Amino acid sequence: MATPSNITGLGVILGTTDPEPLIEWYRAALEPLGARWEEHLLVIGQQTIIGFNQRDDIADSATEPGRHMINITVRDIRAAEKHLNAMGVTWVRPVEDTGGGWFFSTVVDPVGNYLQILQGPDTP
């Protein structure tokens, strides 16, 4: 029998020179899809958060945006696509059926990070 995992959550912290515009963008992009703002974090799912950190030791924009990719799995990627299009996001990879019931897409956030929106065959 497998031992239960000791891991209870996952968090991503996005460093930026100016967090407010980035926070506003992520809230506008993800709250309509089901994320919620709690105190100073965007809660994406059970035990999963995106945080934001003001930093003065980084560039204003991501120099290698594909190095770290935030992946969000959704129930209805076409609804997410419609919402993101209404926001006027920049698509790096438009929604694509990659086979086997999987759909992938990638948008770029205001500082150049990549956010992937995925839908799988067994997305709960």
Side-chain angles (χ1 to χ4, degrees):
M1 177 175 5
T3 304
S5 175
N6 194 29
I7 298 170
T8 61
L10 173 67
V12 175
I13 305 297
L14 296 176
T16 178
T17 57
D18 185 9
E20 289 308 313
L22 197 58
I23 290 168
E24 289 175 15
W25 187 88
Y26 272 90
R27 289 187 71 182
L30 299 179
E31 283 181 340
L33 304 180
R36 67 185 185 284
W37 184 254
E38 287 189 9
E39 296 182 34
H40 59 281
L41 302 168
L42 192 56
V43 178
I44 304 303
Q46 281 190 319
Q47 316 296 325
T48 308
I49 60 97
I50 297 176
F52 304 88
N53 186 18
Q54 184 167 358
R55 312 239 347 203
D56 60 5
D57 62 341
I58 59 174
D60 289 336
S61 62
T63 56
E64 295 178 301
R67 181 175 291 267
H68 305 285
M69 297 172 70
I70 300 167
N71 294 293
I72 307 283
T73 306
V74 298
R75 295 178 199 276
D76 183 349
I77 200 163
R78 294 300 180 186
E81 175 186 42
K82 182 178 178 182
H83 165 68
L84 294 168
N85 279 336
M87 284 182 59
V89 301
T90 300
W91 292 93
V92 175
R93 179 182 186 178
V95 174
E96 177 183 357
D97 182 342
T98 59
W102 281 98
F103 293 83
F104 280 68
S105 64
T106 309
V107 299
V108 63
D109 77 14
V111 298
N113 300 308
Y114 286 171
L115 172 65
Q116 282 196 159
I117 309 294
L118 315 167
Q119 180 183 327
D122 299 321
T123 300

